[in-house]
């Protein structure tokens, strides 16, 4: 692998790393710290990276492991992903429809957060980040078949919990 450039190779990954860390820790500040630690670790080992084929998968794996370690230490509590209000544009002029949509979105976030960590992570990587099953398996250090099972169970659990509401 060629020499790693911080600006062109690592910085573009920071948003993906942040989203993954946030899904695991459910804490905005903790996720930022994990991303910083991940980037520092990768940068400090940049001279030893010849055998790394996929830098993104390598970084996501480090980020996931750090997030899991910190979550275990903190015994992270499920809190909302949002510390700030949404700045999204809603074209719906009906205030009732806006309120219903906001309630559904909040319910889905709550249901997502209530899933076990591995199911949250597999949904984040596969459905939100758009990773392939192979990439997700590499990042989570498991088999493709296991990823498919976890993904199915996570989607099924979300669907059942949503319909039960």
């Amino acid at each position: 692998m060629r020499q790693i450039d911080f600006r062109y190779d690592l910085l573009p990954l920071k948003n993906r790393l942040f989203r993954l860390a946030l899904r695991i820790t459910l804490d905005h500040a903790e996720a930022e710290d994990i991303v910083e630690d991940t980037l520092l670790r990768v940068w400090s080992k940049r001279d030893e990276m010849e055998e790394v084929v996929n830098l993104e998968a390598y970084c996501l794996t480090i980020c996931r492991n750090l997030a899991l370690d910190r979550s275990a230490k903190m015994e992270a509590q499920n809190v909302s992903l949002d510390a700030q209000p949404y700045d999204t544009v809603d074209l719906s002029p009906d205030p009732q429809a806006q309120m219903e949509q906001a309630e559904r979105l909040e319910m889905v976030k709550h249901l997502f957060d209530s899933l076990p960590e591995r199911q949250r992570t597999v949904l984040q990587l596969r459905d939100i980040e758009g990773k392939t099953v192979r990439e997700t398996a590499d990042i989570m250090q498991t088999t493709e078949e296991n990823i498919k099972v976890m993904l199915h169970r996570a989607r099924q659990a979300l669907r059942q919990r949503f319909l039960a509401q």
Side-chain angles (χ1 to χ4, degrees):
M1 183 177 191
R2 64 178 173 74
Q3 185 69 21
I4 294 175
D5 184 82
F6 192 84
R7 179 181 292 159
Y8 298 110
D9 295 328
L10 294 180
L11 275 184
L13 300 176
K14 77 176 173 85
N15 289 337
R16 289 183 180 147
L17 296 172
F18 176 76
R19 288 189 300 264
L20 177 62
L22 186 61
R23 286 289 182 217
I24 294 171
T25 63
L26 301 174
D27 184 283
H28 194 274
E30 192 68 27
E32 287 176 350
D33 290 343
I34 290 168
V35 170
E36 183 179 318
D37 288 348
T38 300
L39 293 175
L40 284 173
R41 283 185 185 205
V42 172
W43 184 248
S44 67
K45 295 190 181 261
R46 66 187 177 277
D47 297 330
E48 305 165 10
M49 303 290 271
E50 289 83 28
E51 66 274 356
V52 174
V53 177
N54 187 341
L55 180 64
E56 181 180 2
Y58 180 76
C59 291
L60 286 168
T61 301
I62 290 174
C63 180
R64 178 178 179 271
N65 291 338
L66 284 172
L68 289 173
D69 289 346
R70 290 199 185 180
S71 290
K73 288 179 185 174
M74 292 177 48
E75 297 178 0
Q77 306 245 339
N78 283 343
V79 294
S80 174
L81 288 177
D82 301 319
Q84 302 122 1
Y86 284 102
D87 291 330
T88 58
V89 176
D90 190 1
L91 301 177
S92 174
D94 182 17
Q96 178 68 26
Q98 289 177 346
M99 184 180 74
E100 289 172 0
Q101 181 182 7
E103 287 175 354
R104 280 193 306 269
L105 182 60
E106 192 61 36
M107 182 176 62
V108 169
K109 284 182 186 180
H110 175 72
L111 294 174
F112 193 99
D113 290 348
S114 70
L115 291 173
E117 178 276 322
R118 291 181 64 79
Q119 288 183 356
R120 282 194 320 260
T121 303
V122 76
L123 280 175
Q124 173 72 28
L125 291 172
R126 184 73 178 102
D127 291 343
I128 297 172
E129 298 294 330
K131 299 289 179 204
T132 65
V133 172
R134 162 62 40 224
E135 291 171 328
T136 305
D138 289 344
I139 291 167
M140 294 187 68
Q141 299 172 342
T142 188
T143 64
E144 290 181 45
E145 291 77 21
N146 196 12
I147 293 297
K148 291 175 185 176
V149 169
M150 282 191 290
L151 195 56
H152 173 73
R153 288 180 182 166
R155 288 173 179 161
Q156 189 175 34
L158 269 180
R159 187 178 306 115
Q160 288 174 351
R161 291 176 185 183
F162 183 79
L163 294 175
Q165 294 289 327

